[in-house]
Amino acid sequence: MRAVLLFIAWAGLVPFLLMFMSLVLYSWRYAYAPVTYEPLTVWGRNEESWVNPYTLLNSSLGYDDLDDFGGGYFAQFFVWWWVPAFTSILALTLIPTVPYVRRVGTRGALSNVIHQVRAVGGYQLPPRKLWMRLMGGLTVTESVLLACWIAVHAVMLWNWYWGYTTGYRYVDEVVGVDFGIPRKQVNLERAALSAGWLCLIDFAVLFWPLAHNSFLHTLTGIPYSGLIRFHQWVGHTTMWSTTLHGVLYYIYWGIRDDGGGWKQFRDFGDLQAINNLAGTISWIFGLALWVTSVDWFRRRYHQSFHTVHMLGFLGFTLFALLHYPGMWVGCVPGLLLYAADIAMRMTQASNITTITGWRVIGKGQNRAIVFTLPVDKGVEQKPLHDYFINFPGVSRWHWHPLTCLYPQGEQGHPGSTVTFAMKQKGLWSTAVIEEIIKTEHVPVRVNGPMGGESILAQGYDHLLMIAGGIAAVPLLSVIEDMVHQRQGGVNACIVPATVRLIWTAREREEFTLISESIMAAAGCGDGWLQIELVFSGSVTVPVGQNLKGLPQQLEANTLEAEGAAINSLVKSRPEGKSFIKEANGVVSLSSRPQSGGCPLKFPGTSALFWDRVRPIQPKIVNRWYFLAVTAISFFGGLCGVVLGYAFYHEYWSRYPINSRYWQFGGVIFCTVTVCAVGLPLAMVIFPVQFVRYLMSGTKKARAETAQIMSQGMARTASLLMDETVGFPESGMSLPIKVGSVDIPAVLQDTASQLSQKGRVGLYCGGPETMVRFAALTAWGLNDKKQGAYLHMHRASWEL
């Protein structure tokens, strides 16, 4: 059943691709003419109409006056783009309701073929170091997609240029009409116009990956962070197309013999239907998006990048529609799913929660904070779930993505708490850690969860996980899920036969993130889970010892001095908002258990009026709720298009000489935005969330909320001396080695031992240099074919 639903979802993309190619090929546009199936005579040539969507729409929809919707050319996009896309969304929404099929004996031939295709498609192309530095690697599949995307642009540019210049040449040479413009200038203007059409196909796919609940995640298995990577690639081609379009027109206006180039440049729709100045403004917004999206700027100034991206997106899209309103056919389909996601985000992010427990691990530049948030029982939680978190006390506009540590709550029960770990890196994370330490009750706004597809679906027989520091969080989340699945979960049949985790950290305290259930699984002796903890930081030495040489020893003295400073800080805070924890010489900060509960409200922190503190509320109540929101958003987009064309036709009928075509772009931007976001918000989202807010004020709900809020942090692992980490109460512990991880030796040993023993998945998370080195090493071993094939996956992503 899962295969049938997946086939329907993929089949829904076929009409989209056909319509996509109709934009690419200039000659196909004659199929949209409202005529019979007789051959067309265009510029002296006979053109066969391969299909007539205008007649098709008349017969299938029974709608004779398609001009009210923009004519058959525009109406067909609703049939061939919107309906199939929603069908794919419907099929993919139902897939999680079907459990995985138990694997019995050997795999089927189809499964093996799919596995081989994935292995070939995932092969990394040389030169690998160059591709890794430029775009994080380039697989065969990605190279084919990229080559096809570039080829489509080249074919479309040449096809439309040929079509435009053929018409002028026919009128000039056959008809004998002299336009009074040199042929070279005509060709330049036609090339500029053809480049503008490239933006239509870029807009057609640019916005699909943006939604947190994008169906592409389920369809392709690519995580949200990976989809954003493709969004970046399409964004680059969009800006190259836009820049080529604009620059060629600027050159054309500058060399015109009549000297009217300046008038054309500053024309705001007065001289002709196309608004040239609006196109320039849109291009400027696009350049701002483009420049601030490069890696070095985005990672150093993420808050500026986020602000520019939001404002630039609105300006780029709005003025693009003012420049040429027909752009809606490309941008609207992808924006409809994004509009539904925005509507759900707006309501969920207006809820306020607070931190119920926290602790600081590490000191100095390696400091990190672990904190818990309460979760409503209606929130469906999975491993690898990501949340966007906002701390209004630090910034009302900065949202930071974090992967949850233990998605099923500290006690292993849904509806309890969810744990996050965040490394101190940059001004924002530093300010957040300081606020949590110094503030008794910290307001938090949350958007999510998103993603969360388990790696169990990959079908690996063996897993090797390599983690560095806090980046072990997503891998611990996956292992925790597999532990629960082995104890009777619905997906117990597809848990890998063996799992090995190698975790290196510069702070021993980071190893205390491990849960009691994971430690129990590693120590049960069945060999399913192997965990190796490697401390790669500075060796602690007494403060008074005479040090003569090693920088690591000097750093150790500095960190111990910082520990003493932390102790003094805590003692100077008589109000007791935090307390010191000292065990075996390890000094750390953590929250004091909340015996009195939490404040009922944080006035002024919510975008709406509901500022009562509650656990994290569900973004998607259930699958039918999501389908209803998506369906109404698509219907709202249709209503917005109809309203936009109603304005255009009424204005044109009254002012036929100057129809102000560009105003239609502004109207359709407003009507589609308001209807696609406002209708689901008003009809489904707000009523459901408002009822939930009222119900949370009842006596029973308040008691349940107070119980969740008072839980704090559950029992955590402790450092037992410097050589082990464990739980003293249960007597479980794991040894800590000192040194570094020899990644090539580990991968070589794994490939040799697991040769001919099934599929092996390699997941690596940590610093970028570590992930890249592990990837290059694994790809090199795969080339030698001397052992098991290592399927490399990235477990951590940089902003």
Side-chain angles (χ1 to χ4, degrees):
M1 188 62 185
R2 296 177 67 93
V4 172
L5 293 174
L6 192 60
F7 174 79
I8 294 175
W10 277 105
L13 296 181
V14 175
F16 176 85
L17 294 177
L18 289 176
M19 281 300 304
F20 186 83
M21 290 305 299
S22 72
L23 298 176
V24 173
L25 300 177
Y26 176 85
S27 58
W28 283 23
R29 75 178 188 139
Y30 301 126
Y32 311 134
V35 296
T36 62
Y37 288 96
E38 297 298 328
L40 300 174
T41 301
V42 182
W43 306 126
R45 296 177 292 108
N46 290 330
E47 294 287 344
E48 296 290 340
S49 180
W50 60 279
V51 70
N52 195 322
Y54 195 100
T55 306
L56 173 64
L57 288 173
N58 285 340
S59 60
S60 59
L61 301 181
Y63 185 42
D64 296 329
D65 192 8
L66 287 175
D67 284 335
D68 291 340
F69 192 76
Y73 174 76
F74 294 109
Q76 64 186 332
F77 285 94
F78 172 74
V79 174
W80 298 109
W81 276 13
W82 297 23
V83 175
F86 183 76
T87 303
S88 298
I89 295 171
L90 175 62
L92 292 172
T93 305
L94 298 177
I95 283 182
T97 62
V98 183
Y100 291 104
V101 178
R102 179 181 296 274
R103 292 191 318 216
V104 180
T106 59
R107 294 187 178 91
L110 179 60
S111 176
N112 291 326
V113 170
I114 295 176
H115 175 71
Q116 293 298 328
V117 170
R118 287 180 177 178
V120 173
Y123 179 80
Q124 295 287 333
L125 297 177
R128 289 168 177 164
K129 290 185 179 180
L130 175 63
W131 295 128
M132 180 66 76
R133 177 171 296 183
L134 292 178
M135 56 181 65
L138 184 65
T139 66
V140 172
T141 302
E142 291 171 346
S143 64
V144 170
L145 291 176
L146 192 59
C148 291
W149 189 244
I150 296 175
V152 163
H153 281 70
V155 170
M156 182 175 183
L157 181 62
W158 170 252
N159 197 270
W160 282 79
Y161 173 77
W162 170 82
Y164 278 134
T165 55
T166 299
Y168 272 84
R169 185 165 55 251
Y170 175 81
V171 174
D172 184 19
E173 298 177 357
V174 179
V175 180
V177 176
D178 184 10
F179 290 98
I181 304 176
R183 175 65 63 84
K184 291 183 178 180
Q185 293 186 18
V186 172
N187 292 342
L188 177 62
E189 194 273 339
R190 296 294 91 181
L193 181 58
S194 301
W197 283 105
L198 295 178
C199 301
L200 198 59
I201 62 174
D202 289 324
F203 271 59
V205 297
L206 178 64
F207 302 111
W208 284 109
L210 291 182
H212 291 174
N213 55 332
S214 176
F215 71 99
L216 295 177
H217 169 61
T218 308
L219 185 64
T220 62
I222 302 175
Y224 176 75
S225 50
L227 292 176
I228 291 299
R229 183 166 176 245
F230 287 100
H231 168 71
Q232 293 171 344
W233 290 4
V234 178
H236 286 304
T237 59
T238 302
M239 287 311 304
W240 281 116
S241 302
T242 306
T243 302
L244 180 63
H245 172 61
V247 170
L248 289 180
Y249 260 113
Y250 297 150
I251 296 175
Y252 167 70
W253 291 333
I255 64 175
R256 285 185 53 171
D257 295 336
D258 57 3
W262 173 246
K263 292 182 180 180
Q264 292 290 336
F265 173 82
R266 61 185 179 87
D267 177 36
F268 205 77
D270 295 326
L271 300 179
Q272 55 188 13
I274 303 300
N275 191 325
N276 295 331
L277 185 58
T280 299
I281 298 174
S282 176
W283 180 55
I284 293 175
F285 274 106
L287 289 178
L289 286 172
W290 203 8
V291 172
T292 57
S293 297
V294 297
D295 291 345
W296 67 269
F297 187 94
R298 186 180 71 251
R299 292 170 182 170
R300 294 183 181 181
Y301 311 101
H302 186 264
Q303 190 166 359
S304 299
F305 154 76
H306 184 267
T307 302
V308 173
H309 220 65
M310 294 300 102
L311 297 178
F313 159 71
L314 293 176
F316 181 63
T317 308
L318 171 60
F319 284 96
L321 289 173
L322 292 179
H323 172 63
Y324 175 57
M327 290 292 293
W328 75 266
V329 300
C331 64
V332 165
L335 288 177
L336 291 180
L337 188 61
Y338 185 54
D341 185 64
I342 287 293
M344 289 185 287
R345 283 194 224 175
M346 289 170 58
T347 311
Q348 187 200 30
S350 299
N351 294 300
I352 300 297
T353 187
T354 188
I355 294 176
T356 58
W358 59 268
R359 61 189 178 100
V360 176
I361 56 177
K363 293 173 282 292
Q365 297 299 320
N366 294 323
R367 185 172 63 165
I369 191 166
V370 183
F371 60 92
T372 60
L373 296 176
V375 182
D376 185 85
K377 61 182 180 181
V379 177
E380 183 182 9
Q381 301 183 61
K382 298 179 182 179
L384 300 181
H385 257 163
D386 294 326
Y387 293 77
F388 276 83
I389 299 181
N390 169 260
F391 291 87
V394 176
S395 173
R396 297 181 66 93
W397 308 107
H398 191 110
W399 292 80
H400 196 286
L402 292 176
T403 302
C404 62
L405 180 57
Y406 296 121
Q408 292 183 319
E410 295 293 339
Q411 306 296 336
H413 300 287
S416 177
T417 58
V418 62
T419 304
F420 299 92
M422 182 179 66
K423 193 81 170 181
Q424 177 177 325
K425 187 177 181 180
L427 298 177
W428 182 84
S429 58
T430 302
V432 169
I433 293 177
E434 292 298 326
E435 184 191 30
I436 294 176
I437 294 175
K438 298 178 181 179
T439 307
E440 185 174 4
H441 300 296
V442 180
V444 182
R445 296 164 61 191
V446 178
N447 181 11
M450 63 181 185
E453 289 300 319
S454 175
I455 65 175
L456 298 178
Q458 300 291 338
Y460 293 123
D461 298 293
H462 307 276
L463 287 180
L464 172 62
M465 300 178 174
I466 301 177
I470 292 296
V473 165
L475 299 179
L476 292 174
S477 172
V478 171
I479 296 176
E480 180 80 8
D481 176 62
M482 289 190 290
V483 170
H484 288 290
Q485 295 297 334
R486 293 183 80 229
Q487 296 173 354
V490 295
N491 295 324
C493 58
I494 57 175
V495 174
T498 61
V499 178
R500 183 186 181 190
L501 170 65
I502 300 177
W503 184 4
T504 177
R506 297 186 61 189
E507 291 288 339
R508 286 189 178 91
E509 288 182 88
E510 293 180 2
F511 296 136
T512 61
L513 293 174
I514 195 169
S515 70
E516 196 166 3
S517 58
I518 292 179
M519 189 170 293
C524 67
D526 61 357
W528 172 73
L529 177 61
Q530 303 176 37
I531 298 181
E532 301 175 27
L533 307 178
V534 181
F535 172 64
S536 59
S538 305
V539 179
T540 305
V541 296
V543 178
Q545 180 175 334
N546 186 21
L547 304 179
K548 292 186 178 180
L550 296 179
Q552 292 84 357
Q553 293 176 330
L554 297 175
E555 183 182 357
N557 272 16
T558 303
L559 296 180
E560 193 162 326
E562 289 184 5
I566 291 176
N567 197 355
S568 301
L569 171 65
V570 174
K571 290 181 179 179
S572 66
R573 300 176 63 83
E575 62 272 21
K577 293 180 180 178
S578 55
F579 74 97
I580 194 83
K581 180 180 180 181
E582 186 169 357
N584 301 312
V586 179
V587 183
S588 62
L589 280 171
S590 60
S591 60
R592 185 180 298 278
Q594 302 285 349
S595 58
C598 64
L600 295 180
K601 290 187 177 183
F602 284 113
T605 55
S606 173
L608 297 176
F609 56 84
W610 41 47
D611 50 6
R612 185 187 304 129
V613 174
R614 295 186 293 166
I616 297 176
Q617 297 298 301
K619 178 180 179 180
I620 300 176
V621 178
N622 52 50
R623 294 181 178 86
W624 305 114
Y625 172 89
F626 169 72
L627 283 176
V629 171
T630 306
I632 295 177
S633 180
F634 272 65
F635 175 73
L638 175 63
C639 293
V641 172
V642 172
L643 289 174
Y645 271 103
F647 163 82
Y648 172 68
H649 286 299
E650 181 179 358
Y651 198 99
W652 182 84
S653 62
R654 180 168 298 184
Y655 306 101
I657 298 178
N658 190 347
S659 63
R660 296 283 182 173
Y661 181 55
W662 65 269
Q663 292 185 358
F664 164 54
V667 172
I668 204 170
F669 176 86
C670 296
T671 54
V672 170
T673 301
V674 171
C675 293
V677 177
L679 283 182
L681 189 64
M683 298 177 64
V684 179
I685 300 174
F686 186 82
V688 172
Q689 297 293 347
F690 181 61
V691 171
R692 292 179 61 88
Y693 181 77
L694 294 179
M695 295 297 294
S696 68
T698 62
K699 184 177 181 180
K700 180 180 178 181
R702 287 177 181 270
E704 294 177 353
T705 301
Q707 180 182 4
I708 296 176
M709 295 292 186
S710 62
Q711 288 182 7
M713 298 194 72
R715 187 170 61 184
T716 59
S718 303
L719 291 177
L720 309 177
M721 304 303 292
D722 279 344
E723 294 80 15
T724 59
V725 60
F727 293 85
E729 300 84 352
S730 59
M732 296 184 300
S733 64
L734 290 174
I736 301 177
K737 301 177 182 179
V738 178
S740 59
V741 177
D742 189 351
I743 293 180
V746 170
L747 298 183
Q748 178 67 59
D749 180 65
T750 301
S752 301
Q753 292 184 4
L754 299 179
S755 179
Q756 306 301 324
K757 292 185 178 181
R759 305 171 184 173
V760 182
L762 170 61
Y763 286 80
C764 185
E768 188 66 19
T769 54
M770 172 183 170
V771 176
R772 291 184 176 184
F773 179 70
L776 292 172
T777 304
W779 298 336
L781 291 175
N782 291 337
D783 290 342
K784 296 179 181 179
K785 299 180 180 180
Q786 296 178 355
Y789 189 93
L790 302 177
H791 297 265
M792 172 66 191
H793 298 272
R794 177 186 288 268
S796 60
W797 301 81
E798 291 188 354
L799 290 176

